[in-house]
Amino acid sequence: MDTNSPLIEVEQNTSDIYIPLQAWFEGRKFLSHRFSGQNCSDNPSGDWGTWLSIQECCPLHQVNSLNWVGLHEARKNTDSYLGNVKSEFNGKLPIFIHEKERVIIEKKIGIPPKPSLPIYLISCSDMDDTNEHIVYVGKTVNSKRFIGGHSAALKLLDPKYNNMKKRIYRATPWFYDGKDYISLDWISPTSLAIELLDFIESHLIYNLKPELNTSKKKNEDTRYSFYLHIQNFLSTGFLNDEFI
């Protein structure tokens, strides 16, 4: 381990990403009713608690080394995983996991899938990590967002950004509807999940005013009235406990 660069190693460590099904898998919580086989249609309101959980970060030039999982892919992964669990238990999906069941599931199927991280924030800071600020906010619903380059990365070639550290943070939105903590991947229907993703991106751009975004900075998106609580679970602490 290079002791001169511990921050980069911590930022690239994705093993601590919170898995939406983890509490159920570990026997700490009942499975959400939305997986009981009944049709679920969410109706978000201003009463919902809303968080943006920053769970991954790396230097911007290493962005293509990250494992990008799109929103649609994450939803399919969850459905497939729960389907395999159901098949293992004679067509019945365990609502609560006991230790014996967890051992069987982990051995035969594996741990639950990771979530998508569909919101990304590009930041710049001085080389000593001071004055870090957001220069671009974006969203993605697929796993190929950065293949072939990105317009914001090209803009950062401007000489005024020389001698600056450039990072990309990846985050997932969470909601609390009074009963469940819901990852964006679980919002139903899919069209609503995509709409909420677009709203959160717009909300961040309007309030943070990142210099490299060219749209959504002048007019506030009023489709929803959420207060967004940003939580950064990484060592950088950047933007942690900010409210927008």
Side-chain angles (χ1 to χ4, degrees), residues 54-224:
I54 297 175
Q55 297 185 303
E56 188 173 57
C57 177
C58 82
L60 183 59
H61 69 274
Q62 295 181 5
V63 66
N64 284 325
S65 68
L66 299 176
N67 180 31
W68 289 83
V69 177
L71 176 63
H72 297 295
E73 184 181 354
R75 293 171 77 91
K76 289 180 180 178
N77 289 345
T78 296
D79 289 341
S80 177
Y81 183 85
L82 291 176
N84 290 336
V85 172
K86 188 175 181 180
S87 297
E88 187 62 35
F89 290 91
N90 299 317
K92 290 186 177 181
L93 191 60
I95 301 302
F96 187 83
I97 297 293
H98 297 280
E99 177 64 18
K100 184 178 179 180
E101 294 166 327
R102 186 193 63 77
V103 171
I104 293 172
I105 294 171
E106 185 169 4
K107 181 179 180 180
K108 295 189 175 183
I109 302 171
I111 64 172
K114 292 181 179 180
S116 66
L117 299 173
I119 291 288
Y120 59 93
L121 312 166
I122 298 176
S123 76
C124 284
S125 69
D126 295 333
M127 295 305 290
D128 60 359
D129 289 324
T130 58
N131 300 317
E132 187 170 15
H133 59 285
I134 296 297
V135 296
Y136 189 86
V137 173
K139 70 178 188 299
T140 179
V141 295
N142 60 58
S143 58
K144 299 179 180 179
R145 183 67 180 91
F146 281 84
I147 294 177
H150 191 288
S151 59
L154 294 176
K155 292 177 182 178
L156 286 170
L157 295 176
D158 188 302
K160 71 178 182 179
Y161 296 108
N162 289 349
N163 300 317
M164 281 187 164
K165 283 187 177 180
K166 305 168 184 71
R167 296 186 177 101
I168 182 167
Y169 291 88
R170 298 175 63 204
T172 191
W174 283 83
F175 307 90
Y176 181 67
D177 66 353
K179 296 180 180 179
D180 284 331
Y181 288 94
I182 312 166
S183 164
L184 180 74
D185 297 341
W186 292 0
I187 291 291
S188 184
T190 304
S191 57
L192 176 59
I194 293 173
E195 181 179 331
L196 287 170
L197 175 61
D198 183 68
F199 168 77
I200 288 175
E201 181 202 36
S202 299
H203 192 59
L204 288 165
I205 292 173
Y206 178 79
N207 285 279
L208 296 177
K209 298 291 191 293
E211 58 202 73
L212 298 183
N213 284 93
T214 56
S215 62
K216 301 184 176 182
K217 288 199 290 189
K218 294 183 178 180
N219 298 311
E220 186 173 11
D221 190 333
T222 58
R223 283 175 289 176
Y224 301 98

